[in-house]
Amino acid sequence: MNSTTPVKQNTKPNASAIPPWRVVRPESDGADQVAAQTVTEKTIVLAKNVTKSYRRHKTSVAVLKGVDFSADQGKVTAIVGQSGSGKSTLLHLLGTLDKPDSGEIHFANQRIDNLSARQRDLFRNKKLGMIFQFYHLLPELTLLENIVAPAMIGQSLFSYFRNRSGILRRAKSLADMVGLSHRLHHKPNELSGGEMQRTAIARALITDPKLLLADEPTGNLDQESGQSILQLLRNLNEETGLTIVMVTHDENIAAQCDALVRLKGGKVERLK
Amino acid sequence: MYKLLLCWRYLKTRWIALASIVSVTLGVATMIVVNSVMDGFTSQMQDRMHGILSDLVVETRSTNGIAEPNWYVDRIRGRLGDSVQGITTVVTLPAMMTFHHNGNAHTQQINLIGIDKETYASVSDFSKYLLHPDNKQKLDFVLKQSGYAPEREALQPAGWEHRTRVETLKKARLSEMERYRLLQEKISAEQRQQIASDVATLPSTNDEVSTEATNGDAAVSPNTTASATDEINQLAAGPSSFGAATPSAPRGHVFDAANEQRIGIVLGIGIGSVRGRDSDGKVKDYFFIRPGDDVSVAFPNAGSPPRAIDEMFTVVDFYESKMSEYDATFAFVPIEALQRARGMIDPVSQQGAVTSIQIKLKPDADLQVARDALRDEFPPAESYVQVNSWRDTQGPLLAAVQLETTILNILLFMIIAVAGFGILATFFMIVVEKTRDIGVLKSLGAPGTGIASIFLGYGVLLGSVGSGVGVVCGLLFVWNINEIARVLEWVTGREVFDPTVYYFDTIPTILHPFMIVWVSVGAVAIAILASVLPSIRAARMHPVEALRYE
Ligand SMILES: Nc1ncnc2c1ncn2[C@@H]1O[C@H](COP(=O)(O)OP(=O)(O)OP(=O)(O)O)[C@@H](O)[C@H]1O
Ligand SMILES: [Mg+2]
């Protein structure tokens, strides 16, 4: 049934019932990543025959009608499609923000769509980075605080204060990487769109995720800023081997990606 | 961590939410003010009542009273033992007082209380309410030369100063009147002689009659001076069979009001004065009776059926407890005088009957226990006395004040609860406003409980700030309540706290720390309760819907 996706089940020798992100600590992630990088052609995220429909006033709109999708470790996968074709919907399902009506979502050989709410929260916090078209920064927090937010959410008050200096160092180096180290104490409304998106990227990276989901990251930016954001993501992918799944409207951008799928009529076509 | 940071930031960036807390703040402040003023009034009232009334009263309604008070006193001491601090016997009577003011007789109903001047002060705060400093030390029912509350100008002159002045004036007026009468007499005598001589010239049958009349008048006139003085003395002495009570005035002795006093009476200040305002709006007392004046008091004797007897007393001091009810009716006289006048003294044992025995307990003694012990000692079925504590007698009044306080508190708490709904609405608005941020937090892996606690924490913070500010405002208000009242008076031109009504010069307040804690905890609880629903709503929000929210 999933002929288009080369799935290797149970490639990890000791895949236990406990999801791996529950035992992996941020400190040990580096070693993990090196090991993961050596495995080529590994599918990290996988959707099997997923359907999703929205109910509105008794009429049910089927958005996804049996979608099979996979993204490989260390690759940049682009999803294109017309507006309203369900790209964001699919991304939200991959990010466990929503549940599919039927079908399964797997991440690193673990089924994740049927996890408990608490486990999905942990998954999003530890394994996933998300960026959005409208940046979605928290307006009350400064740039630095926005970047640190996922780390704060993932840790108790006590452990946050214990690891505070390390977290702040990492946040500053991320801000440095996205070129915003001079604006650490500005509020989002004092930043440009490009700067906000860079902040969002830095925020997505603070917990050292395995997968970055990007929903039209350049959709709200001019050509130049869009290009620099894209360059940033490319560099990330090349330097750290970060897996990226990106929704885009821009055929140009799509062409630069390692893999490309199109959503049409509630189904996925693989283009590349 | 993010929870604390976010709710702190929400508080900092949304000061407007404090507007919804202002209602709680005001409610808290009002509650503190109202409670402290009510408590102030209540405790002042209780203190005064307790000061005026002894702890326990063993009393009888029988007109003859308790015929053998010593036996009762012994029983009481035996029963209560060490817990008794003081005991005194009292005769209480309804009576009618008559005094003269500006030539008119005024009557007033009073409670005539015969007290034992040696022991009465030991059961109540009686002495400290008297005006003359010597009487505050020890009351002796003797008129003082002067020195009755010298700071009260309206009361001066008082004492012998006043009495001698009045008597001199009276004497002067009487002698003036006498002279005038003599003059009149002389004139009319001359006229009559004139007429008589005129008539004598006329042969008439009326002749005899007119001569007789002239003779009669003539017979009186030499005597007039003496009889007038007698009359005056009689007027001053009153229709008294009670002259014997004044040892200095043996029968036949002519009472000299300018140098002698009658038996002393201490009047409640409300009997002898009115409090009002002069044209400037200043509070002024006007005394129509002063220490040194004589008053006459009519009261029933101990016979059956009782007959009214009338006695003259000299006002020796005023009693000012600032409880208008007592100040307007109480009049104290020496108990022996009352017993003798009423015929309450047993001719054999020479023991005077009393109507009540008042007992003061030691401060640590239990009032209820002592009362119940005495009730057990004198069971109502077997004896004709009743045992009551001061709380029993003042129970209805205290209960009324208590009820008033309770109702006010309920009303004010309702107001705070209404303010709670305002907070609820504000919080819902804030949650709606923050919908996208909630979605973002969820996409970053924040659990629903974490998001709920952001808003709950926000509620706690707002509630604490609100009630903290409220407590501070309330305390400042209470501490400066008299100044505030003055400012209000100045602004509105109306008296906020009328001393002619309340008898207090300042508004009494009492702050119970416990009450403040309760009120502020209640306000915080309401803020928390009001933030629970919005918090639950925030926690339940669907992340995708929240992210899509514009
Ligand atoms: N909550 C919802 N209730 C009803 N319909 C919805 C809801 N959310 C999405 N839809 C519908 O689902 C379809 C897919 O929406 P989705 O946001 O996934 O499209 P998209 O491909 O991301 O479009 P775009 O490129 O404009 O972002 C749309 O037709 C939309 O109207
Ligand atoms: Mg979309």
Side-chain angles (χ1 to χ4, degrees):
Chain A
M1 64 182 181
N2 41 26
S3 53
T4 54
T5 51
V7 185
K8 285 185 216 152
Q9 301 274 0
N10 294 326
T11 43
K12 257 198 176 178
N14 58 346
S16 59
I18 305 163
W21 53 85
R22 299 201 64 178
V23 288
V24 173
R25 298 183 137 269
E27 295 88 66
S28 62
D29 267 6
D32 215 44
Q33 217 164 20
V34 174
Q37 264 181 326
T38 56
V39 186
T40 50
E41 282 296 302
K42 189 193 165 202
T43 299
I44 188 161
V45 66
L46 167 72
K48 280 200 273 185
N49 199 20
V50 165
T51 66
K52 179 77 186 173
S53 55
Y54 289 109
R55 269 184 175 281
R56 258 294 137 86
H57 310 299
K58 287 181 188 161
T59 57
S60 166
V61 183
V63 179
L64 302 180
K65 304 167 182 168
V67 163
D68 291 310
F69 171 84
S70 70
D72 288 347
Q73 171 89 56
K75 291 275 152 49
V76 180
T77 308
I79 303 173
V80 293
Q82 282 188 325
S83 184
S85 56
K87 307 182 293 294
S88 299
T89 307
L90 177 59
L91 217 61
H92 291 150
L93 291 176
L94 296 177
T96 68
L97 287 175
D98 212 347
K99 282 188 170 187
D101 296 342
S102 70
E104 294 176 5
I105 315 276
H106 290 254
F107 179 87
N109 302 320
Q110 282 286 330
R111 191 168 170 188
I112 54 171
D113 59 290
N114 60 354
L115 291 174
S116 72
R118 182 83 201 103
Q119 282 172 315
R120 278 186 289 143
D121 290 336
L122 273 170
F123 165 71
R124 283 200 297 274
N125 187 249
K126 302 270 184 254
K127 294 281 144 181
L128 209 62
M130 270 196 238
I131 54 180
F132 305 92
Q133 181 177 354
F134 296 104
Y135 332 120
H136 288 342
L137 299 177
L138 298 171
E140 279 81 15
L141 304 185
T142 64
L143 193 150
L144 185 64
E145 287 162 345
N146 262 293
I147 295 175
V148 173
M152 288 201 261
I153 290 172
Q155 302 190 25
S156 69
L157 190 65
F158 178 67
S159 83
Y160 172 78
F161 272 108
R162 214 180 38 195
N163 304 326
R164 203 173 112 106
S165 57
I167 292 166
L168 284 179
R169 213 178 314 122
R170 177 161 169 76
K172 279 175 185 154
S173 77
L174 282 170
D176 204 26
M177 187 196 79
V178 298
L180 286 172
S181 48
H182 58 297
R183 318 209 55 173
L184 288 177
H185 300 292
H186 289 240
K187 293 275 169 72
N189 59 4
E190 296 158 353
L191 301 174
S192 75
E195 287 167 334
M196 283 198 264
Q197 197 60 293
R198 287 154 190 273
T199 311
I201 292 170
R203 177 178 70 181
L205 296 176
I206 186 87
T207 53
D208 203 356
K210 295 277 173 292
L211 174 65
L212 183 70
L213 299 177
D215 193 350
E216 300 187 38
T218 60
N220 220 29
L221 300 174
D222 59 73
Q223 189 68 33
E224 207 175 317
S225 325
Q227 263 310 317
S228 76
I229 294 290
L230 218 67
Q231 194 53 50
L232 187 61
L233 292 177
R234 264 256 77 102
N235 288 348
L236 270 171
N237 171 254
E238 275 162 15
E239 283 161 24
T240 65
L242 177 70
T243 313
I244 300 175
V245 176
M246 179 166 60
V247 169
T248 181
H249 270 307
D250 194 328
E251 294 288 339
N252 241 340
I253 296 169
Q256 297 171 27
C257 294
D258 302 326
L260 177 62
V261 297
R262 181 190 297 281
L263 256 176
K264 200 175 178 186
K267 297 271 191 187
V268 162
E269 297 168 23
R270 185 163 275 272
L271 299 178
K272 192 166 145 190
Chain B
M1 178 60 207
Y2 68 105
K3 306 164 199 165
L4 290 177
L5 184 66
L6 275 173
C7 65
W8 176 242
R9 285 291 154 81
Y10 286 174
L11 185 74
K12 261 175 71 178
T13 54
R14 273 163 191 71
W15 282 112
I16 190 66
L18 276 179
S20 68
I21 286 298
V22 165
S23 41
V24 170
T25 304
L26 287 178
V28 169
T30 334
M31 236 166 133
I32 287 175
V33 171
V34 164
N35 270 309
S36 67
V37 171
M38 290 296 274
D39 281 350
F41 266 103
T42 316
S43 90
Q44 282 258 8
M45 243 170 67
Q46 288 210 11
D47 275 3
R48 293 215 166 131
M49 277 196 243
H50 192 191
I52 294 157
L53 308 165
S54 55
D55 288 324
L56 292 169
V57 178
V58 177
E59 60 186 340
T60 177
R61 293 254 169 90
S62 126
T63 37
N64 294 322
I66 301 168
E68 58 291 334
N70 290 345
W71 181 80
Y72 274 89
V73 168
D74 289 345
R75 293 263 310 255
I76 292 166
R77 279 196 192 279
R79 183 67 189 240
L80 296 181
D82 278 346
S83 52
V84 176
Q85 182 168 318
I87 236 172
T88 192
T89 50
V90 165
V91 174
T92 336
L93 289 173
M96 192 179 78
M97 190 190 82
T98 308
F99 62 93
H100 290 266
H101 179 63
N102 287 346
N104 293 312
H106 298 257
T107 57
Q108 191 169 351
Q109 186 213 318
I110 57 171
N111 265 335
L112 193 61
I113 303 169
I115 58 171
D116 178 1
K117 61 189 180 192
E118 305 299 328
T119 55
Y120 190 68
S122 70
V123 299
S124 67
D125 294 340
F126 174 70
S127 308
K128 78 174 189 197
Y129 296 133
L130 300 176
L131 296 190
H132 198 279
D134 293 353
N135 286 342
K136 279 183 205 273
Q137 294 299 320
K138 179 135 186 9
L139 176 67
D140 52 9
F141 288 108
V142 172
L143 186 63
K144 304 288 184 286
Q145 178 61 30
S146 63
Y148 290 92
E151 72 282 358
R152 296 186 187 214
E153 272 169 35
L155 189 57
Q156 310 309 331
W160 278 113
E161 261 179 15
H162 170 66
R163 190 174 177 85
T164 38
R165 209 179 67 142
V166 167
E167 289 307 322
T168 339
L169 277 173
K170 215 191 253 170
K171 282 239 169 76
R173 202 167 59 234
L174 281 172
S175 59
E176 193 66 25
M177 276 167 68
E178 190 53 34
R179 250 210 335 264
Y180 181 69
R181 216 174 75 141
L182 287 174
L183 202 67
Q184 283 276 351
E185 208 124 308
K186 222 166 101 188
I187 292 166
S188 56
E190 278 169 8
Q191 276 174 347
R192 269 194 297 263
Q193 263 166 12
Q194 185 63 47
I195 291 163
S197 59
D198 287 351
V199 167
T201 55
L202 299 169
S204 166
T205 44
N206 284 347
D207 190 24
E208 247 176 85
V209 179
S210 71
T211 322
E212 220 172 274
T214 317
N215 282 347
D217 270 359
V220 173
S221 25
N223 233 350
T224 313
T225 325
S227 76
T229 353
D230 263 3
E231 220 174 78
I232 295 157
N233 283 336
Q234 239 160 47
L235 196 87
S240 179
S241 59
F242 179 49
T246 14
S248 59
R251 197 163 285 283
H253 167 82
V254 177
F255 183 78
D256 175 12
N259 296 308
E260 286 173 58
Q261 72 159 97
R262 297 175 186 283
I263 290 176
I265 185 168
V266 174
L267 290 183
I269 197 156
I271 302 175
S273 72
V274 282
R275 182 164 272 201
R277 276 164 198 290
D278 62 11
S279 49
D280 299 337
K282 274 213 188 111
V283 177
K284 272 205 144 166
D285 289 322
Y286 177 69
F287 288 88
F288 36 78
I289 308 177
R290 289 158 200 274
D293 283 330
D294 283 351
V295 295
S296 99
V297 179
F299 50 90
N301 71 2
S304 168
R307 252 185 217 97
I309 41 179
D310 210 22
E311 287 294 345
M312 291 294 288
F313 292 94
T314 299
V315 178
V316 294
D317 207 346
F318 279 126
Y319 168 83
E320 185 177 30
S321 65
K322 298 201 168 160
M323 286 291 290
S324 52
E325 186 195 332
Y326 300 139
D327 287 349
T329 56
F330 278 7
F332 301 91
V333 295
I335 189 169
E336 320 81 49
L338 212 49
Q339 284 168 333
R340 201 169 303 138
R342 295 191 70 217
M344 287 172 99
I345 294 174
D346 189 309
V348 180
S349 69
Q350 287 300 310
Q351 209 183 107
V354 301
T355 59
S356 68
I357 300 166
Q358 300 191 350
I359 302 141
K360 174 87 173 171
L361 298 176
K362 294 240 169 78
D364 53 344
D366 189 315
L367 185 66
Q368 289 317 67
V369 170
R371 183 199 67 181
D372 292 342
L374 286 190
R375 283 195 175 165
D376 180 54
E377 187 76 19
F378 310 115
E382 292 162 33
S383 64
Y384 59 107
V385 295
Q386 293 165 343
V387 182
N388 286 314
S389 74
W390 72 277
R391 279 186 193 281
D392 295 333
T393 39
Q394 293 305 323
L397 183 56
L398 292 179
V401 174
Q402 194 58 49
L403 182 72
E404 230 166 90
T405 315
T406 312
I407 287 176
L408 265 172
N409 270 317
I410 291 172
L411 285 180
L412 285 171
F413 204 74
M414 294 282 235
I415 290 173
I416 297 182
V418 169
F421 282 96
I423 300 174
L424 184 76
T426 313
F427 269 53
F428 258 113
M429 301 287 283
I430 287 172
V431 166
V432 168
E433 188 203 331
K434 290 278 131 209
T435 299
R436 276 242 310 242
D437 292 6
I438 292 165
V440 173
L441 284 169
K442 289 199 161 176
S443 79
L444 296 178
T449 50
I451 286 165
S453 53
I454 291 176
F455 290 95
L456 271 179
Y458 188 36
V460 174
L461 268 182
L462 274 182
S464 317
V465 171
S467 73
V469 173
V471 166
V472 170
C473 290
L475 289 181
L476 287 180
F477 197 105
V478 169
W479 285 330
N480 299 303
I481 192 160
N482 288 300
E483 286 74 15
I484 291 168
R486 224 166 291 142
V487 170
L488 277 180
E489 270 159 39
W490 182 73
V491 170
T492 60
R494 284 187 58 147
E495 187 110 27
V496 177
F497 187 78
D498 191 343
T500 59
V501 177
Y502 293 105
Y503 270 96
F504 298 123
D505 308 325
T506 54
I507 304 174
T509 54
I510 285 188
L511 282 167
H512 290 303
F514 199 62
M515 177 266 294
I516 296 169
V517 169
W518 260 113
V519 167
S520 43
V521 164
V524 173
I526 281 178
I528 293 172
L529 278 181
S531 57
V532 163
L533 275 180
S535 303
I536 290 174
R537 194 194 135 112
R540 291 233 176 118
M541 230 170 236
H542 194 282
V544 173
E545 313 260 304
L547 280 172
R548 278 180 196 274
Y549 182 84
E550 290 299 323

